[in-house]
Amino acid sequence: MAKRVVVGLSGGVDSSVAAYLLKKQGYDVTAVFMINWHDKTGVLDADCPWDEDVLFAEMVAKKLGIPFHVEDLSVPYKKRVIDYMFSEYERGRTPNPDVLCNREIKFDEFFKATEKFQPDFVATGHYCKKEETEVQGNRVYRLMAGDDPNKEQSYFLCQLSQEQLSKTLFPIGHLRKEEVRKIAREQKLASADKKDSQGICFVGKVHLPDFLQQKLEPREGNIFEIPANSPLYNNGQPDSLEAQITPIKYKISDGEFVGKHQGAHFFTIGQRKGLQVGGKKEPLFVISTDVEKNRIFVGQGQTHPGLYRKGLHIHRDEIHWVRSDLTMQTGEIRNYMVRIRYRQALEKATLYMKDGGMYIIFDEPQRGVAAGQFAAWYEGGELLGSGVIG
RNA sequence: UGACCCGUGGUGUAAUUGGCAACACAUCUGAUUUUGGUUCAGAAGAGUCCAGGUUCGAGCCCUGGCGGGUCAA
């Protein structure tokens, strides 16, 4: 008897080909489209985001001859992703809604919503791979980077658990985007040449200030420029772990007033656009925000020392091991490759496990380390764990 | 009050011996990107504080205003 798989069919080319491959491999495939967002406030391209997608999904399902269902997960999506996003921005942090979307919705609510189809697996069109191994007699699932270096999406799944992985299939992780499109064309799938989706998953491409202003009030505040040669950057030898992970707390007197903003919580570290301060020789980048006092501190040029940090800290409660069998014990030190943002190169780092949490110290200072984003550590193409940057 | 300097796109600057204004930043659009980080490409945007004058022709020369600054007392 064929194994049964529910595939999350989004209407895009990736999940379409995933469904096709599963069918070809002999699975009993059921397609389910999730609706997660109705509101169009602040969304660009107001041309009906999902009603078009659902049409594509249905066409693909029909073409493949597989059952097609729609599940509305917009209530939990709002509660578990969007609300989190607002509250993080409000606290002056930079959330990653898509990581949450995967952990909370696609690999949780969606699992529950499709239980009625009694699937053996749930599949998605992510560019990553699952492998299995055995550790001391126990089966262990490994989350591997996708083979297309350009589309590789393991980072977005960095918060998945063994439990979630055990039920998951990633049919296209070994393919490159061109190959996926080629297959889709050969099979004449409606989504073959559909443009890749962008923006916050399910919500779509948004004008962030407008979107955030549904909940967060604009508040005028001041912008201060910190000179690159500020004495703040010469503080001796910051060799202690604590010193290396602690961001500088800037004061007004450290810099010079250069302009006004409409709310410090709308900005993230490393951001260039939207400051509306011109007349500088080089572009200004946000190096720090103070939401309580509603101040933004900026530095001039790509190489401004304030843009870089040697390390970061993850609170004990926020540490997540995809490979739970590899969990570090207090006092342990390991070397892994780490990334702190999607599509960023992996960087060499040393992880120190302490009582309060994990310290990640990079070999080279990293640009734009933003609280709220996820740091994910890898070894040999496998994502081992991740955590919210504190 | 006396002397000197300055006044150019949103901002900061540039424009050889006078020949219809350049660059950077900001802005906008597009590309890239399942996080408005970044990056990349393109576009728009001033007729040069005002009023006169010299000249074939002035942002650049002259005169007078207005505005800002520096030094002097």
Side-chain angles (χ1 to χ4, degrees), chain A residues 108-316:
Chain A
D108 190 52
E109 293 289 346
F110 185 69
F111 278 27
K112 290 182 201 158
T114 57
E115 266 171 12
K116 58 192 171 198
F117 302 114
Q118 299 180 303
D120 295 291
F121 296 104
V122 171
T124 67
H126 282 104
Y127 284 86
C128 61
K129 300 183 294 185
K130 179 175 97 170
E131 291 182 3
E132 295 180 23
T133 184
E134 229 173 70
V135 176
Q136 296 172 336
N138 296 317
R139 176 163 296 184
V140 169
Y141 299 94
R142 309 173 72 196
L143 176 60
M144 311 299 293
D147 285 347
D148 185 333
N150 207 32
K151 299 300 291 188
E152 206 283 290
Q153 285 174 318
S154 60
Y155 177 81
F156 284 122
L157 305 181
C158 66
Q159 288 277 301
L160 295 195
S161 65
Q162 282 290 312
E163 167 73 13
Q164 288 168 312
L165 269 183
S166 70
K167 303 178 195 158
T168 300
L169 295 177
F170 301 118
I172 65 163
H174 61 292
L175 297 173
R176 302 174 82 90
K177 186 80 191 191
E178 313 89 81
E179 300 175 293
V180 169
R181 285 214 185 272
K182 183 158 173 270
I183 293 171
R185 285 193 202 103
E186 285 169 359
Q187 298 309 126
K188 300 196 185 341
L189 302 181
S191 55
D193 294 297
K194 201 154 172 286
K195 188 169 155 39
D196 287 4
S197 65
Q198 286 179 6
I200 302 165
C201 79
F202 296 124
V203 176
K205 204 166 178 172
V206 299
H207 187 260
L208 197 64
D210 288 354
F211 186 74
L212 291 177
Q213 279 175 31
Q214 294 175 70
K215 272 270 189 177
L216 307 180
E217 290 296 313
R219 255 204 311 163
E220 187 173 89
N222 296 329
I223 305 174
F224 301 90
E225 179 181 350
I226 307 294
N229 59 8
S230 166
L232 287 168
Y233 302 122
N234 308 327
N235 46 351
Q237 270 62 44
D239 278 343
S240 77
L241 288 179
E242 212 56 53
Q244 294 186 83
I245 60 99
T246 308
I248 297 175
K249 272 278 179 194
Y250 295 96
K251 302 191 299 289
I252 291 184
S253 55
D254 296 327
E256 178 196 357
F257 172 84
V258 291
K260 293 195 171 295
H261 65 257
Q262 289 308 312
H265 46 274
F266 295 136
F267 292 83
T268 185
I269 304 218
Q271 182 171 342
R272 167 178 176 175
K273 292 293 173 185
L275 284 166
Q276 299 185 299
V277 178
K280 299 293 177 180
K281 196 172 171 70
E282 293 186 89
L284 296 177
F285 296 93
V286 175
I287 58 176
S288 176
T289 61
D290 181 338
V291 184
E292 279 175 33
K293 299 198 172 76
N294 199 28
R295 293 174 188 149
I296 294 179
F297 297 93
V298 297
Q300 193 173 159
Q302 311 273 10
T303 57
H304 188 99
L307 267 178
Y308 296 84
R309 265 171 65 186
K310 190 77 169 109
L312 57 90
H313 182 256
I314 298 171
H315 187 87
R316 177 159 217 107

Side-chain angles (χ1 to χ4, degrees), chain A residues 143 155 158-159 312 314 318-323 326-328 334-340 346-347 349 351 353 358 360 374-379 381-388:
Chain A
L143 176 60
Y155 177 81
C158 66
Q159 288 277 301
L312 57 90
I314 298 171
E318 299 285 359
I319 299 170
H320 171 74
W321 287 88
V322 175
R323 283 291 301 274
L326 294 178
T327 302
M328 282 169 74
R334 288 189 208 157
N335 290 299
Y336 286 134
M337 300 298 282
V338 177
R339 77 163 42 104
I340 55 168
L346 287 167
E347 300 285 342
L351 285 61
M353 192 62 207
M358 183 188 286
I360 298 182
F374 289 83
W377 43 97
Y378 291 74
E379 185 174 57
E382 178 181 10
L383 196 164
L384 304 179
S386 67
V388 179

